[in-house]
Amino acid sequence: MASTVPEIVPDHRTYALWWVAALHDNSDAMRQLASSSNLWTRRSVARAAHLPQDVVDLLARDEDRVVRLFLAESCDDAPADLLLDVWTWWPGSFSFPGRPRNHPNFPRHGLLRFADDPQPRLRLLAPHDPASTGALVEQFSRDPDTSVRGRAAEDPRLSPASAVRLADDADPGVRRLARRHPALPPAFLVPLLLYERRAKDTAENPAIPAAIMRRMIAPAAPHC
């Protein structure tokens, strides 16, 4: 499986050509246009919210990665295997936030099989399986990949000891996430507020004792 992300430069048409979009509800037109040799026509078909099953199957196998990406982002009929594939190489976009992860057809069960997958992007899915446990989160807290450790640093099942360890992780992104984790013991959490580079993230932690919070906001009270 290739790992490069398809290049979409600013002047690309990331939305449907207007005349193709006007035909999105016409099943016969979509069948004809999905077989077009014109790349932009096929990409525009893939932007439809709903498509006949045979058209979905055809576009899900399209040789053009961006056709498959657009199908995963826009079409509610996109199949689960396509969504999983796109997840491995597409980090998401501002135009379609959450896709493909929040797609209605994205698998919710059976994700534990990816817990030891060599691809970090697939390992990230395992804690979302309803059958996952805190033991998996602890395993991920020691993962060699920073994104996987970062996922553990956000998980409410993370143990206090692992939260403390990740708060001093070698990766700054993991550290920032861990310093906001409510499992951090107050004895470890409060001293972090004394260091300027650590205080900003730590101040967002809901586990800060109420007395400390009052002391933090007291200097600002006269200016409110």
Side-chain angles (χ1 to χ4, degrees), residues 15 20 22 47 68 70 79 92 95 97 102 125 132 153 161-162 218:
Y15 295 94
V20 177
R47 282 300 191 196
R68 304 197 303 273
F70 286 3
S95 301
N102 66 357
L125 296 174
S132 68
S162 292

Side-chain angles (χ1 to χ4, degrees), residues 3-54:
S3 59
T4 56
V5 174
E7 182 181 5
I8 302 179
V9 296
D11 61 347
H12 276 196
R13 299 181 183 88
T14 57
Y15 295 94
L17 297 169
W18 70 268
W19 61 271
V20 177
L23 296 169
H24 274 171
D25 293 331
N26 186 323
S27 297
D28 291 336
M30 291 299 97
R31 288 188 175 93
Q32 180 178 354
L33 295 174
S35 300
S36 172
S37 60
N38 185 285
L39 180 60
W40 290 113
T41 299
R42 300 200 310 277
R43 290 181 179 182
S44 296
V45 172
R47 282 300 191 196
H50 293 283
L51 289 167
Q53 187 61 52
D54 57 321

Side-chain angles (χ1 to χ4, degrees), residues 65-127:
R65 247 187 169 189
V66 181
V67 168
R68 304 197 303 273
L69 169 63
F70 286 3
L71 190 70
E73 287 185 329
S74 300
C75 185
D76 286 347
D77 305 305
D81 57 347
L82 169 71
L83 299 171
L84 278 173
D85 175 67
V86 171
W87 168 262
T88 64
W89 52 263
W90 185 248
S93 66
F94 291 116
S95 301
F96 297 88
R99 292 292 176 104
R101 183 68 185 83
N102 66 357
H103 192 285
N105 291 340
F106 198 94
R108 268 64 180 173
H109 299 272
L111 299 176
L112 280 176
R113 70 185 188 275
F114 298 124
D116 297 308
D117 195 277
Q119 293 190 68
R121 287 281 293 174
L122 284 174
R123 292 204 298 279
L124 286 172
L125 296 174

